[in-house]
Amino acid sequence: MNGVLIPHTPIAVDFWSLRRAGSARLFFLSHMHSDHTVGLSSTWARPLYCSPITAFLLHRHLQVSKRWIRALEVGESHVLPLDEIGRETMTVTLMDANHCPGSVMFLFEGYFGTILYTGDFRFTPAMLKEPALSVGKQIHTLYLDNTNCNPALDLPSQHEAAQQIVALIRKHPQHDVKIGLYSLGKESLLEQLALEFQTWVVLSPRRLELVQLLGLADVFTVEEKAGRIHAVNHMEICHSAMLRWNQARPTIAILPTSRKIHSSHPNIHIIPYSDHSSYSELRAFVTALKPCRVLPIVSRQPCRDYFQDSLGPRLPVPLIPDSVQQYMSASSSKPSVLCLLERKLRRPRTQGVVFESPEEKADRFQADGDSKKAKNEDLSGNLEKQPSLHPLRTKKQLFPDRCSNQCGEAAPFSESQKMVTVLTAPLGLSVHLRSPEEEFLPPETGEEIGGGPHLVPRGDNDGSAVSRNPRAWGGQDSPQSPSSKAVPLLAPEFSGLALKYLLTPLNFFQARFSSRGFDQQMEKYHKSLLKCRREHSLV
């Protein structure tokens, strides 16, 4: 995969693996060729900077949401923040890379010095006249397209290669011409051939949409028999295809590429027309810029040794400002909600049961214990002063949604909370029934909407998730009946430890207690109930 993480900065160019991106926070796309978009898909959910044409193609063909695409005008300088408080900024300038539609070079300027990332590019002398490069700026680091950085590879210029193609077509005036191309690139060559031979160029509908966007001459069509020049996918040109095409009409095929390809048919012609700079062009480019160092974009093709005589003096490693360090470390040590959502999107969306261990439950309760400690202490301190504890109140603590509707109060829970059910077992084992929607919520949000010791009914607010039997709330009489007693019914013979735990309201227990402390609190609660029951019976 092409692409780099620029050291000592939060900048990533053509790099889309968030798992390996580390502290990168600003993502840039040089062009839309597939080897520069590996890992980039419709699930991408971070700001992404590119040229306007690339922005269109990115949304059109990879379905990346427009929410995350930031189109920057080519030839202009743009100021972008490097931290969350706006203290540090950088300037980025986009320049035409002469590679494919929308391809650009990025010039970054900031505390790190001046960095030029060429992406894939074909050098022309006009590039050195770009305002951003013509003022004699010192380029500290040059990330160079070294695809053809080989002194043994002698490539003609694009103009010379185009003339070779024109001469070849002139030698076959009665033949159809198949031009093998990638999905993006060399549209200007097609326009030149159409104007030279006064013929329509037949394209696929997808490529026709692109050339219309580029504002090229109106020489393209999708009608198969309208012209003799056809642009096809380079993979279509093979021996069997040549036999089939020549059965219908005399046909020649042209592959405009600098790659070493074996011709499998006499009528397949390889012309070294390349969208990458030749070795001599790279030498001219580096000699004119005199960067402090040159780093190759294609790691498998070394190039730095070729330009040692053209480099400027090396500079020390830049110091990263504190605000930028915080900005970069926050992204690596604490994943954002967007990263968590992306991670959850890759999981199978199945509904199931998750069993929580007592240790995890204790940790979760500990987080809630501080906020509820004062309330629980007040409850335990004033329990003996209360003449009775109405069973409806206990029910309201455990089932707030149902009680809110019965008592005519506003429900304190959001609609999304109805989709989460938390059942608390007497031995400290929680069972979570998760809906598919919960799979998209980060852990922090999940705690807010259902992590506490509550049962939130699924479905409608009529309590369909709990028992339909009104006697199940608190004994013989229904709490909704006018004749019901105000004391929870606890028979004296119900002295079993497990049963007492079942009949003790969960909110009564305090966090951070040992098992022995929980037993003492439970006994205290039931002694208070028995005392209230005796006082009630005396009355």
Side-chain angles (χ1 to χ4, degrees):
M1 181 182 70
N2 290 303
V4 297
L5 299 172
I6 299 180
H8 314 295
T9 76
I11 301 171
V13 188
D14 295 343
F15 194 98
W16 313 109
S17 174
L18 291 179
R19 181 178 58 84
R20 298 189 293 122
S23 57
R25 297 296 298 272
L26 298 171
F27 295 86
F28 295 83
L29 175 60
S30 63
H31 63 289
M32 273 291 291
H33 277 163
S34 59
D35 56 333
H36 290 257
T37 60
V38 176
L40 188 56
S41 67
S42 60
T43 61
W44 183 261
R46 295 204 178 180
L48 182 160
Y49 300 91
C50 59
S51 68
I53 293 177
T54 299
F56 171 83
L57 298 174
L58 186 61
H59 175 69
R60 180 75 171 180
H61 300 310
L62 291 185
Q63 287 77 51
V64 174
S65 173
K66 291 182 179 180
R67 174 185 177 186
W68 305 112
I69 301 175
R70 310 287 191 267
L72 303 178
E73 289 297 329
V74 179
E76 298 182 6
S77 297
H78 309 268
V79 178
L80 300 179
L82 289 174
D83 56 25
E84 295 177 331
I85 60 177
R87 180 181 301 171
E88 287 291 333
T89 62
M90 75 170 179
T91 300
V92 57
T93 305
L94 282 65
M95 295 172 284
D96 185 8
N98 188 34
H99 178 68
C100 70
S103 62
V104 293
M105 301 185 288
F106 293 109
L107 182 69
F108 302 106
E109 300 172 85
Y111 70 86
F112 41 77
T114 304
I115 298 174
L116 177 60
Y117 180 91
T118 66
D120 291 350
F121 85 120
R122 184 73 194 252
F123 171 75
T124 63
M127 290 179 177
L128 298 176
K129 298 179 182 179
E130 289 281 349
L133 298 178
S134 62
V135 294
K137 291 180 180 177
Q138 177 63 60
I139 305 297
H140 300 119
T141 303
L142 172 63
Y143 287 92
L144 186 66
D145 172 20
N146 58 314
T147 302
N148 292 329
C149 188
N150 183 357
L153 181 62
D154 186 21
L155 292 178
S157 67
Q158 285 184 325
H159 175 73
E160 292 171 343
Q163 291 304 311
Q164 292 181 27
I165 296 175
V166 169
L168 177 63
I169 296 176
R170 289 192 187 279
K171 291 180 180 179
H172 301 82
Q174 305 302 321
H175 287 65
D176 284 350
V177 180
K178 306 290 184 180
I179 309 290
L181 305 175
Y182 293 105
S183 60
L184 182 67
K186 299 183 173 67
E187 286 77 15
S188 59
L189 172 63
L190 298 177
E191 179 189 42
Q192 180 180 348
L193 295 177
L195 296 176
E196 179 71 27
F197 294 99
Q198 296 295 303
T199 181
W200 292 96
V201 175
V202 180
L203 305 177
S204 66
R206 176 171 174 169
R207 191 181 285 268
L208 179 62
E209 179 185 47
L210 173 63
V211 297
Q212 291 174 343
L213 179 69
L214 298 176
L216 298 178
D218 186 16
V219 293
F220 302 99
T221 182
V222 294
E223 298 182 19
E224 284 291 329
K225 298 181 179 181
R228 59 183 292 230
I229 299 178
H230 296 237
V232 299
N233 188 283
H234 69 105
M235 297 296 294
E236 293 184 43
I237 297 181
C238 59
H239 186 271
S240 59
M242 291 303 300
L243 295 178
R244 184 177 67 255
W245 289 330
N246 277 280
Q247 286 179 353
R249 282 186 56 83
T251 303
I252 62 171
I254 299 174
L255 288 172
T257 179
S258 60
R259 294 186 177 185
K260 299 299 182 181
I261 300 177
H262 172 69
S263 177
S264 59
H265 190 278
N267 284 346
I268 297 179
H269 303 271
I270 314 298
I271 303 297
Y273 183 102
S274 179
D275 288 328
H276 297 270
S277 301
S278 65
Y279 174 76
S280 60
E281 291 168 344
L282 292 177
R283 288 281 304 179
F285 186 63
V286 175
T287 301
L289 293 180
K290 296 188 182 303
C292 297
R293 61 173 180 166
V294 176
L295 297 178
I297 291 178
V298 184
S299 58
R300 66 180 181 272
Q301 177 74 27
C303 74
R304 65 185 68 187
D305 295 338
Y306 295 137
F307 307 110
Q308 292 298 323
D309 57 340
S310 301
L311 301 183
R314 292 290 298 270
L315 296 179
V317 175
L319 295 178
I320 306 176
D322 292 339
S323 60
V324 180
Q325 286 184 350
Q326 295 175 3
Y327 184 59
M328 295 166 63
S329 62
S331 66
S332 58
S333 62
K334 184 180 180 182
S336 65
V337 174
L338 298 175
C339 295
L340 294 172
L341 286 174
E342 183 185 26
R343 194 178 308 156
K344 288 179 177 290
L345 284 170
R346 297 175 182 173
R347 298 177 183 173
R349 299 176 56 184
T350 56
Q351 181 173 350
V353 179
V354 178
F355 291 93
E356 184 175 285
S357 66
E359 292 79 5
E360 292 174 342
K361 182 173 182 291
D363 293 341
R364 182 163 49 84
F365 283 174
Q366 182 176 351
D368 296 335
D370 293 338
S371 62
K372 298 181 179 179
K373 184 175 181 181
K375 181 178 179 181
N376 290 337
E377 289 178 351
D378 181 71
L379 176 61
S380 60
N382 297 332
L383 183 61
E384 295 183 359
K385 300 179 184 180
Q386 299 176 358
S388 65
L389 184 63
H390 199 286
L392 183 56
R393 291 180 187 168
T394 303
K395 170 187 161 186
K396 184 173 182 179
Q397 292 174 0
L398 296 178
F399 304 91
D401 278 357
R402 180 183 176 99
C403 297
S404 298
N405 289 346
Q406 290 174 347
C407 300
E409 300 173 358
F413 289 81
S414 66
E415 290 296 321
S416 63
Q417 289 171 302
K418 300 174 188 175
M419 303 305 294
V420 182
T421 303
V422 180
L423 301 178
T424 305
L427 298 182
L429 184 67
S430 293
V431 182
H432 297 255
L433 300 182
R434 292 188 177 180
S435 66
E437 289 79 359
E438 188 186 356
E439 285 296 321
F440 297 91
L441 297 176
E444 296 83 355
T445 309
E447 291 173 3
E448 293 175 1
I449 68 170
H454 299 93
L455 174 62
V456 184
R458 297 174 67 94
D460 298 330
N461 288 341
D462 62 357
S464 59
V466 296
S467 175
R468 293 288 185 179
N469 184 4
R471 296 180 181 270
W473 291 111
Q476 302 291 333
D477 298 321
S478 169
Q480 300 173 356
S481 172
S483 62
S484 62
K485 300 297 182 180
V487 180
L489 300 180
L490 177 63
E493 61 270 23
F494 290 166
S495 58
L497 182 62
L499 188 55
K500 286 184 178 181
Y501 264 107
L502 281 172
L503 297 177
T504 303
L506 189 57
N507 287 347
F508 185 81
F509 293 108
Q510 301 182 26
R512 303 178 183 174
F513 273 9
S514 62
S515 60
R516 181 179 178 183
F518 274 109
D519 293 344
Q520 292 174 352
Q521 288 293 304
M522 181 195 62
E523 294 293 346
K524 182 178 179 180
Y525 172 79
H526 286 288
K527 286 180 181 179
S528 301
L529 291 185
L530 290 174
K531 183 177 180 180
C532 292
R533 189 169 184 269
R534 292 192 193 100
E535 290 176 356
H536 183 74
S537 60
L538 291 177
V539 177

